Amino acid sequence: MSPRTPSGRAAARHGWPQALLAVVAAVAAMGAVAALGLWAAGAGELPDGAFPRVVAATVVTAVGGAIELSGNAGALAGTEAGLTVMPLSVTLTGALVLAAGFLRPLRHRAVAAGAEAAGWAARIAVLWLLALLGLALGARHTFALSLGDETLDQIGGLFGVSPKVGFTAAVARTLAVGSLWLAGVLALALLVMGGVPLSGRLLRFQESVRPAAYAMVALLLAYVALGVVVGLVVAATRGHARQTLAVILLGLPNLAWLALTLGLGAAWRGRVEGPFGLPMPHVLDEVLRTPDVSTLDLRALAEYDGRVWWLVAVDAVLIPAAAFLTAARSPARTRAWQHVLRMAVALALTVLMICLTGRISAYYGLSVLGIGDLGGILSGRLFLEPLLWRALGLAVLWGAAAGLLGTLSARAVRRRGTADGQRDG
Protein backbone atom coordinates (compact mmCIF):
# COMPACT_ATOMS: atom_id res chain seq x y z
CA MET A 1 0.00 0.00 0.00
CA SER A 2 1.11 3.55 -0.59
CA PRO A 3 2.16 5.52 2.50
CA ARG A 4 -0.28 8.20 3.57
CA THR A 5 0.21 11.63 4.98
CA PRO A 6 -1.66 12.83 8.11
CA SER A 7 -4.17 14.51 5.80
CA GLY A 8 -5.10 11.11 4.38
CA ARG A 9 -3.67 11.71 0.90
CA ALA A 10 -1.52 9.00 -0.61
CA ALA A 11 2.10 10.12 -0.82
CA ALA A 12 3.45 10.17 -4.36
CA ARG A 13 6.15 7.60 -5.06
CA HIS A 14 9.64 8.73 -5.83
CA GLY A 15 11.69 5.88 -7.23
CA TRP A 16 13.81 5.59 -10.34
CA PRO A 17 10.92 5.72 -12.86
CA GLN A 18 9.64 8.95 -11.30
CA ALA A 19 13.16 10.43 -11.30
CA LEU A 20 13.58 9.49 -14.96
CA LEU A 21 10.26 11.18 -15.77
CA ALA A 22 11.33 14.38 -14.00
CA VAL A 23 14.68 14.54 -15.80
CA VAL A 24 13.25 13.68 -19.22
CA ALA A 25 10.53 16.30 -18.81
CA ALA A 26 13.09 18.98 -17.90
CA VAL A 27 15.46 18.14 -20.76
CA ALA A 28 12.58 17.93 -23.25
CA ALA A 29 11.19 21.30 -22.14
CA MET A 30 14.60 22.94 -22.41
CA GLY A 31 15.20 21.37 -25.80
CA ALA A 32 11.81 22.50 -27.09
CA VAL A 33 12.31 26.11 -25.98
CA ALA A 34 15.85 26.15 -27.38
CA ALA A 35 14.75 24.64 -30.69
CA LEU A 36 11.88 27.09 -31.14
CA GLY A 37 14.10 30.04 -30.24
CA LEU A 38 16.87 28.95 -32.58
CA TRP A 39 14.37 28.32 -35.36
CA ALA A 40 12.96 31.81 -34.88
CA ALA A 41 16.53 33.15 -35.04
CA GLY A 42 17.07 31.41 -38.38
CA ALA A 43 19.22 28.50 -37.20
CA GLY A 44 16.84 26.00 -38.80
CA GLU A 45 18.61 26.68 -42.12
CA LEU A 46 22.02 25.53 -40.87
CA PRO A 47 23.63 23.01 -43.24
CA ASP A 48 24.80 19.44 -42.69
CA GLY A 49 22.23 18.56 -40.04
CA ALA A 50 23.76 21.00 -37.57
CA PHE A 51 20.49 22.17 -36.03
CA PRO A 52 20.04 19.35 -33.44
CA ARG A 53 23.66 19.76 -32.37
CA VAL A 54 23.23 23.50 -31.93
CA VAL A 55 20.12 22.82 -29.84
CA ALA A 56 22.15 20.43 -27.67
CA ALA A 57 24.86 23.07 -27.27
CA THR A 58 22.26 25.65 -26.28
CA VAL A 59 20.89 23.39 -23.55
CA VAL A 60 24.44 22.72 -22.33
CA THR A 61 25.18 26.44 -22.01
CA ALA A 62 21.82 27.00 -20.31
CA VAL A 63 22.99 25.01 -17.27
CA GLY A 64 26.40 26.68 -17.18
CA GLY A 65 28.24 24.19 -19.37
CA ALA A 66 31.14 25.30 -21.53
CA ILE A 67 31.24 25.31 -25.31
CA GLU A 68 34.72 25.49 -26.78
CA LEU A 69 35.07 27.07 -30.22
CA SER A 70 37.82 26.14 -32.63
CA GLY A 71 38.78 27.30 -36.10
CA ASN A 72 40.83 26.29 -39.07
CA ALA A 73 41.56 28.35 -42.18
CA GLY A 74 44.17 26.32 -43.98
CA ALA A 75 47.95 26.57 -44.14
CA LEU A 76 48.17 30.33 -44.74
CA ALA A 77 45.62 31.52 -42.22
CA GLY A 78 44.47 31.05 -38.67
CA THR A 79 41.28 31.55 -36.72
CA GLU A 80 40.45 32.29 -33.12
CA ALA A 81 37.04 32.20 -31.48
CA GLY A 82 35.38 32.20 -28.09
CA LEU A 83 31.83 32.31 -26.70
CA THR A 84 30.35 32.73 -23.21
CA VAL A 85 26.61 33.22 -22.77
CA MET A 86 23.72 31.64 -20.90
CA PRO A 87 20.32 31.58 -22.69
CA LEU A 88 18.36 32.21 -19.51
CA SER A 89 14.94 31.52 -21.05
CA VAL A 90 16.07 27.92 -21.53
CA THR A 91 17.66 27.92 -18.07
CA LEU A 92 14.49 29.16 -16.38
CA THR A 93 12.32 26.63 -18.22
CA GLY A 94 14.50 23.73 -17.11
CA ALA A 95 14.66 24.99 -13.52
CA LEU A 96 10.88 25.33 -13.22
CA VAL A 97 10.12 21.91 -14.73
CA LEU A 98 12.83 20.13 -12.75
CA ALA A 99 11.80 21.81 -9.50
CA ALA A 100 8.18 20.82 -10.05
CA GLY A 101 9.19 17.21 -10.69
CA PHE A 102 11.41 17.18 -7.59
CA LEU A 103 8.80 18.67 -5.26
CA ARG A 104 5.79 16.66 -6.40
CA PRO A 105 6.47 13.53 -4.29
CA LEU A 106 7.42 15.62 -1.23
CA ARG A 107 4.27 17.71 -1.06
CA HIS A 108 1.43 17.08 1.39
CA ARG A 109 3.72 15.41 3.90
CA ALA A 110 3.84 16.43 7.53
CA VAL A 111 7.63 16.81 7.24
CA ALA A 112 10.08 16.29 4.38
CA ALA A 113 12.73 14.21 6.16
CA GLY A 114 16.32 14.96 5.24
CA ALA A 115 17.17 11.37 4.33
CA GLU A 116 14.09 11.03 2.15
CA ALA A 117 14.75 14.29 0.27
CA ALA A 118 18.45 13.45 -0.15
CA GLY A 119 17.72 10.00 -1.57
CA TRP A 120 15.18 11.40 -3.99
CA ALA A 121 17.59 14.16 -5.06
CA ALA A 122 20.38 11.60 -5.56
CA ARG A 123 18.26 9.60 -8.02
CA ILE A 124 17.51 12.73 -10.00
CA ALA A 125 21.19 13.75 -9.91
CA VAL A 126 22.41 10.43 -11.34
CA LEU A 127 19.97 10.56 -14.25
CA TRP A 128 20.60 14.28 -14.76
CA LEU A 129 24.33 13.67 -15.15
CA LEU A 130 23.67 10.93 -17.70
CA ALA A 131 21.41 13.28 -19.65
CA LEU A 132 24.05 16.04 -19.53
CA LEU A 133 26.69 13.59 -20.71
CA GLY A 134 24.58 12.68 -23.73
CA LEU A 135 23.93 16.35 -24.53
CA ALA A 136 27.60 17.25 -24.17
CA LEU A 137 28.71 14.45 -26.47
CA GLY A 138 26.13 15.52 -29.06
CA ALA A 139 27.02 19.21 -28.90
CA ARG A 140 29.77 19.32 -31.51
CA HIS A 141 29.90 20.42 -35.14
CA THR A 142 32.07 22.23 -37.69
CA PHE A 143 30.87 24.92 -40.12
CA ALA A 144 32.48 26.17 -43.32
CA LEU A 145 32.28 29.97 -43.53
CA SER A 146 32.05 32.23 -46.52
CA LEU A 147 34.46 35.17 -46.79
CA GLY A 148 31.46 37.35 -47.55
CA ASP A 149 32.15 37.90 -51.25
CA GLU A 150 32.35 35.57 -54.27
CA THR A 151 35.71 36.96 -55.38
CA LEU A 152 37.16 36.61 -51.89
CA ASP A 153 35.89 33.04 -51.76
CA GLN A 154 37.69 32.26 -55.04
CA ILE A 155 40.93 33.87 -53.81
CA GLY A 156 40.60 32.02 -50.54
CA GLY A 157 40.20 28.73 -52.35
CA LEU A 158 43.28 29.48 -54.48
CA PHE A 159 45.47 30.08 -51.44
CA GLY A 160 43.91 27.45 -49.22
CA VAL A 161 42.14 29.98 -47.01
CA SER A 162 38.85 28.23 -46.40
CA PRO A 163 37.79 29.28 -42.90
CA LYS A 164 35.95 26.82 -40.69
CA VAL A 165 34.72 27.18 -37.16
CA GLY A 166 33.50 24.41 -34.92
CA PHE A 167 32.18 23.98 -31.42
CA THR A 168 32.60 21.22 -28.87
CA ALA A 169 31.19 20.91 -25.38
CA ALA A 170 33.74 20.67 -22.58
CA VAL A 171 32.38 17.46 -21.05
CA ALA A 172 34.10 17.54 -17.67
CA ARG A 173 33.26 21.18 -16.98
CA THR A 174 29.71 20.71 -18.22
CA LEU A 175 29.14 17.82 -15.81
CA ALA A 176 30.71 19.69 -12.90
CA VAL A 177 28.87 22.98 -13.40
CA GLY A 178 25.66 21.18 -14.38
CA SER A 179 25.78 19.31 -11.06
CA LEU A 180 26.13 22.58 -9.15
CA TRP A 181 23.26 24.05 -11.17
CA LEU A 182 21.06 21.08 -10.27
CA ALA A 183 21.98 21.34 -6.59
CA GLY A 184 21.09 25.02 -6.59
CA VAL A 185 17.74 24.42 -8.30
CA LEU A 186 16.73 21.64 -5.90
CA ALA A 187 17.85 23.55 -2.79
CA LEU A 188 16.02 26.69 -3.90
CA ALA A 189 12.92 24.64 -4.69
CA LEU A 190 12.86 23.25 -1.15
CA LEU A 191 13.29 26.73 0.29
CA VAL A 192 10.64 28.39 -1.85
CA MET A 193 7.85 25.81 -1.92
CA GLY A 194 5.61 26.28 1.11
CA GLY A 195 3.85 22.97 0.59
CA VAL A 196 6.97 21.03 1.63
CA PRO A 197 7.49 21.35 5.41
CA LEU A 198 11.14 20.98 6.34
CA SER A 199 12.49 18.75 9.09
CA GLY A 200 13.20 20.03 12.59
CA ARG A 201 16.88 20.77 11.89
CA LEU A 202 15.91 23.00 8.98
CA LEU A 203 12.91 24.62 10.66
CA ARG A 204 14.79 27.83 11.44
CA PHE A 205 15.60 28.21 7.73
CA GLN A 206 11.93 27.70 6.97
CA GLU A 207 11.08 30.73 9.12
CA SER A 208 14.02 33.00 8.31
CA VAL A 209 15.11 32.14 4.75
CA ARG A 210 12.01 30.78 3.03
CA PRO A 211 9.93 34.01 2.96
CA ALA A 212 12.77 36.04 1.43
CA ALA A 213 13.66 33.28 -1.04
CA TYR A 214 10.02 33.00 -2.10
CA ALA A 215 9.78 36.77 -2.58
CA MET A 216 12.97 36.94 -4.67
CA VAL A 217 11.78 34.16 -6.98
CA ALA A 218 8.45 35.96 -7.31
CA LEU A 219 10.30 39.19 -8.11
CA LEU A 220 12.37 37.55 -10.86
CA LEU A 221 9.32 35.85 -12.37
CA ALA A 222 7.39 39.14 -12.27
CA TYR A 223 10.12 40.80 -14.34
CA VAL A 224 10.03 37.93 -16.82
CA ALA A 225 6.24 38.21 -17.08
CA LEU A 226 6.53 41.95 -17.74
CA GLY A 227 9.18 41.21 -20.35
CA VAL A 228 6.87 38.77 -22.13
CA VAL A 229 4.11 41.40 -22.25
CA VAL A 230 6.48 44.06 -23.58
CA GLY A 231 7.93 41.64 -26.14
CA LEU A 232 4.52 40.64 -27.44
CA VAL A 233 3.45 44.27 -27.71
CA VAL A 234 6.63 45.13 -29.62
CA ALA A 235 6.15 42.16 -31.93
CA ALA A 236 2.55 43.17 -32.63
CA THR A 237 3.16 46.89 -33.17
CA ARG A 238 6.65 47.21 -34.63
CA GLY A 239 7.05 44.09 -36.72
CA HIS A 240 10.06 41.76 -36.63
CA ALA A 241 7.86 39.22 -34.86
CA ARG A 242 10.17 36.31 -35.55
CA GLN A 243 13.25 38.06 -34.17
CA THR A 244 11.30 39.16 -31.09
CA LEU A 245 10.11 35.60 -30.56
CA ALA A 246 13.73 34.42 -30.73
CA VAL A 247 14.72 36.87 -28.00
CA ILE A 248 11.77 35.82 -25.82
CA LEU A 249 12.54 32.11 -26.17
CA LEU A 250 16.30 32.40 -25.74
CA GLY A 251 17.22 35.47 -23.73
CA LEU A 252 14.22 37.21 -22.19
CA PRO A 253 15.43 36.86 -18.57
CA ASN A 254 18.83 38.17 -19.70
CA LEU A 255 17.06 41.38 -20.70
CA ALA A 256 14.45 41.55 -17.94
CA TRP A 257 16.91 40.97 -15.12
CA LEU A 258 19.41 43.36 -16.70
CA ALA A 259 16.62 45.96 -16.56
CA LEU A 260 16.15 45.20 -12.86
CA THR A 261 19.79 46.00 -12.12
CA LEU A 262 19.77 49.13 -14.27
CA GLY A 263 16.69 50.37 -12.43
CA LEU A 264 18.64 50.08 -9.17
CA GLY A 265 21.29 52.40 -10.63
CA ALA A 266 23.79 49.64 -11.42
CA ALA A 267 26.07 49.82 -14.44
CA TRP A 268 27.51 47.36 -16.92
CA ARG A 269 30.50 47.83 -19.20
CA GLY A 270 30.86 46.44 -22.67
CA ARG A 271 31.60 46.91 -26.32
CA VAL A 272 30.24 45.70 -29.65
CA GLU A 273 32.35 45.68 -32.80
CA GLY A 274 32.28 43.95 -36.15
CA PRO A 275 29.34 41.94 -37.48
CA PHE A 276 28.24 40.81 -34.04
CA GLY A 277 25.11 42.19 -32.48
CA LEU A 278 23.59 41.83 -29.06
CA PRO A 279 20.31 39.86 -28.84
CA MET A 280 18.83 42.95 -27.23
CA PRO A 281 16.94 46.13 -28.12
CA HIS A 282 18.69 48.30 -30.68
CA VAL A 283 19.32 51.06 -28.14
CA LEU A 284 21.72 48.83 -26.21
CA ASP A 285 23.67 48.07 -29.37
CA GLU A 286 23.94 51.80 -30.07
CA VAL A 287 25.30 52.55 -26.60
CA LEU A 288 27.91 49.78 -26.78
CA ARG A 289 28.99 50.09 -30.44
CA THR A 290 31.75 52.64 -29.79
CA PRO A 291 35.52 52.75 -30.42
CA ASP A 292 36.23 52.21 -26.74
CA VAL A 293 34.63 50.29 -23.89
CA SER A 294 31.33 51.91 -22.91
CA THR A 295 29.42 52.13 -19.66
CA LEU A 296 25.83 50.95 -19.84
CA ASP A 297 23.61 52.67 -17.28
CA LEU A 298 20.43 54.70 -17.15
CA ARG A 299 22.16 57.97 -18.03
CA ALA A 300 23.82 56.50 -21.13
CA LEU A 301 20.58 54.85 -22.27
CA ALA A 302 18.54 58.01 -21.64
CA GLU A 303 20.59 59.85 -24.26
CA TYR A 304 18.98 57.56 -26.84
CA ASP A 305 15.58 56.88 -25.23
CA GLY A 306 14.28 58.78 -22.22
CA ARG A 307 11.72 56.08 -21.45
CA VAL A 308 14.40 54.04 -19.71
CA TRP A 309 13.79 56.10 -16.55
CA TRP A 310 10.63 54.04 -16.15
CA LEU A 311 12.91 51.21 -15.02
CA VAL A 312 13.42 53.09 -11.76
CA ALA A 313 9.65 53.33 -11.26
CA VAL A 314 9.20 49.61 -11.93
CA ASP A 315 11.88 48.78 -9.36
CA ALA A 316 10.29 51.20 -6.91
CA VAL A 317 7.02 49.27 -7.16
CA LEU A 318 8.12 45.66 -7.44
CA ILE A 319 10.97 45.57 -4.91
CA PRO A 320 8.91 47.01 -2.03
CA ALA A 321 6.14 44.61 -3.07
CA ALA A 322 8.62 41.75 -2.68
CA ALA A 323 9.62 43.13 0.71
CA PHE A 324 5.97 43.25 1.78
CA LEU A 325 5.54 39.66 0.62
CA THR A 326 8.58 38.67 2.68
CA ALA A 327 7.23 40.36 5.81
CA ALA A 328 3.70 39.02 5.32
CA ARG A 329 4.98 35.43 5.06
CA SER A 330 7.30 35.77 8.05
CA PRO A 331 6.22 35.03 11.66
CA ALA A 332 4.59 38.02 13.37
CA ARG A 333 7.28 37.97 16.07
CA THR A 334 10.00 38.84 13.52
CA ARG A 335 11.56 42.19 14.36
CA ALA A 336 11.84 45.09 11.94
CA TRP A 337 15.65 45.03 11.81
CA GLN A 338 15.53 41.36 10.90
CA HIS A 339 13.26 42.10 7.95
CA VAL A 340 15.58 44.90 6.83
CA LEU A 341 18.67 42.69 7.07
CA ARG A 342 17.08 39.70 5.34
CA MET A 343 15.73 41.78 2.49
CA ALA A 344 19.08 43.51 1.96
CA VAL A 345 20.92 40.19 1.87
CA ALA A 346 18.27 38.53 -0.33
CA LEU A 347 18.30 41.31 -2.93
CA ALA A 348 22.10 41.43 -2.95
CA LEU A 349 22.29 37.67 -3.58
CA THR A 350 19.67 37.98 -6.31
CA VAL A 351 21.62 40.75 -8.04
CA LEU A 352 24.81 38.69 -7.67
CA MET A 353 23.10 35.80 -9.47
CA ILE A 354 22.01 38.15 -12.26
CA CYS A 355 25.52 39.55 -12.62
CA LEU A 356 27.11 36.10 -12.78
CA THR A 357 24.64 34.63 -15.29
CA GLY A 358 24.09 37.74 -17.42
CA ARG A 359 27.63 38.13 -18.72
CA ILE A 360 28.11 37.88 -22.49
CA SER A 361 31.35 37.43 -24.39
CA ALA A 362 31.97 36.45 -28.02
CA TYR A 363 34.95 36.77 -30.33
CA TYR A 364 35.84 35.59 -33.81
CA GLY A 365 38.85 36.55 -35.90
CA LEU A 366 40.54 35.40 -39.11
CA SER A 367 44.11 36.36 -39.97
CA VAL A 368 46.28 35.59 -43.00
CA LEU A 369 49.95 34.79 -42.35
CA GLY A 370 49.32 35.88 -38.80
CA ILE A 371 48.82 39.51 -39.81
CA GLY A 372 45.57 41.36 -39.24
CA ASP A 373 42.00 40.47 -40.11
CA LEU A 374 40.40 40.31 -43.55
CA GLY A 375 38.95 43.80 -43.57
CA GLY A 376 36.89 43.15 -40.49
CA ILE A 377 34.45 41.06 -42.52
CA LEU A 378 35.14 37.94 -40.51
CA SER A 379 36.22 39.45 -37.22
CA GLY A 380 34.33 40.90 -34.35
CA ARG A 381 33.98 41.01 -30.61
CA LEU A 382 31.31 41.75 -28.10
CA PHE A 383 31.20 41.59 -24.35
CA LEU A 384 28.96 42.77 -21.55
CA GLU A 385 29.90 42.49 -17.88
CA PRO A 386 28.68 44.17 -14.66
CA LEU A 387 30.40 46.63 -12.40
CA LEU A 388 29.85 44.11 -9.62
CA TRP A 389 30.53 46.02 -6.41
CA ARG A 390 28.45 48.98 -7.50
CA ALA A 391 25.53 46.67 -8.27
CA LEU A 392 25.81 44.81 -4.96
CA GLY A 393 26.11 48.00 -2.92
CA LEU A 394 23.01 49.49 -4.52
CA ALA A 395 21.14 46.21 -4.02
CA VAL A 396 21.91 46.30 -0.29
CA LEU A 397 20.64 49.90 -0.02
CA TRP A 398 17.49 49.22 -2.02
CA GLY A 399 16.87 45.99 -0.12
CA ALA A 400 17.24 47.64 3.28
CA ALA A 401 14.93 50.52 2.37
CA ALA A 402 12.36 48.18 0.83
CA GLY A 403 12.62 45.87 3.84
CA LEU A 404 11.72 48.73 6.17
CA LEU A 405 8.76 49.75 4.00
CA GLY A 406 7.66 46.14 3.72
CA THR A 407 7.65 45.42 7.43
CA LEU A 408 5.81 48.67 8.24
CA SER A 409 3.12 47.98 5.65
CA ALA A 410 2.78 44.33 6.71
CA ARG A 411 2.32 45.38 10.34
CA ALA A 412 -0.30 47.92 9.33
CA VAL A 413 -2.21 45.23 7.43
CA ARG A 414 -1.98 42.85 10.39
CA ARG A 415 -3.23 45.51 12.82
CA ARG A 416 -6.10 46.37 10.51
CA GLY A 417 -7.01 42.70 10.23
CA THR A 418 -6.90 42.28 14.02
CA ALA A 419 -9.05 45.37 14.55
CA ASP A 420 -11.59 44.20 11.96
CA GLY A 421 -11.72 40.79 13.64
CA GLN A 422 -12.34 42.33 17.04
CA ARG A 423 -15.16 44.50 15.67
CA ASP A 424 -16.74 41.50 14.00
CA GLY A 425 -16.48 39.59 17.29
Side-chain angles (χ1 to χ4, degrees), residues 69-286:
L69 299 184
S70 60
N72 181 21
L76 300 180
T79 58
E80 183 180 1
L83 175 66
T84 301
V85 64
M86 284 187 71
L88 291 181
S89 293
V90 181
T91 305
L92 182 61
T93 299
L96 292 176
V97 174
L98 198 55
F102 172 67
L103 292 175
R104 184 176 178 275
L106 302 178
R107 299 183 65 183
H108 309 303
R109 280 171 164 74
V111 172
E116 178 187 18
W120 172 226
R123 291 185 178 92
I124 290 179
V126 170
L127 297 172
W128 174 252
L129 287 176
L130 291 175
L132 272 187
L133 178 61
L135 288 168
L137 293 176
R140 56 184 63 205
H141 197 76
T142 301
F143 299 94
L145 299 179
S146 170
L147 293 176
D149 181 86
E150 184 177 352
T151 302
L152 287 177
D153 284 334
Q154 293 175 354
I155 296 174
L158 179 64
F159 288 98
V161 180
S162 52
K164 297 180 180 179
V165 62
F167 64 87
T168 304
V171 177
R173 180 180 170 182
T174 296
L175 295 180
V177 179
S179 299
L180 294 177
W181 180 86
L182 175 68
V185 168
L186 300 187
L188 187 59
L190 276 178
L191 283 176
V192 170
M193 189 61 192
V196 182
L198 303 179
S199 61
R201 293 181 180 179
L202 301 177
L203 187 59
R204 62 191 181 96
F205 292 101
Q206 180 170 319
E207 293 185 350
S208 61
V209 178
R210 176 170 279 178
Y214 180 91
M216 291 299 101
V217 171
L219 176 66
L220 293 176
L221 293 179
Y223 268 89
V224 172
L226 282 176
V228 171
V229 173
V230 172
L232 294 178
V233 170
V234 169
T237 59
R238 298 187 180 181
H240 306 291
R242 187 163 173 171
Q243 293 89 331
T244 303
L245 179 62
V247 172
I248 291 175
L249 291 172
L250 294 175
L252 181 62
N254 300 70
L255 284 175
W257 298 343
L258 171 67
L260 188 160
T261 64
L262 293 175
L264 296 176
W268 296 62
R269 61 188 295 272
R271 186 184 177 193
V272 178
E273 61 175 324
F276 286 127
L278 285 170
M280 296 181 176
H282 183 62
V283 63
L284 299 185
D285 189 86
E286 290 182 336

Side-chain angles (χ1 to χ4, degrees), residues 254-334:
N254 300 70
L255 284 175
W257 298 343
L258 171 67
L260 188 160
T261 64
L262 293 175
L264 296 176
W268 296 62
R269 61 188 295 272
R271 186 184 177 193
V272 178
E273 61 175 324
F276 286 127
L278 285 170
M280 296 181 176
H282 183 62
V283 63
L284 299 185
D285 189 86
E286 290 182 336
V287 172
L288 297 177
R289 195 173 290 277
T290 57
D292 299 315
V293 175
S294 300
T295 299
L296 180 68
D297 57 13
L298 287 176
R299 181 174 299 178
L301 289 170
E303 295 179 0
Y304 294 88
D305 191 339
R307 292 173 297 179
V308 297
W309 292 109
W310 281 102
L311 297 179
V312 180
V314 174
D315 275 4
V317 172
L318 292 184
I319 293 177
F324 171 80
L325 184 60
T326 301
R329 295 175 67 90
S330 299
R333 63 179 179 276
T334 306

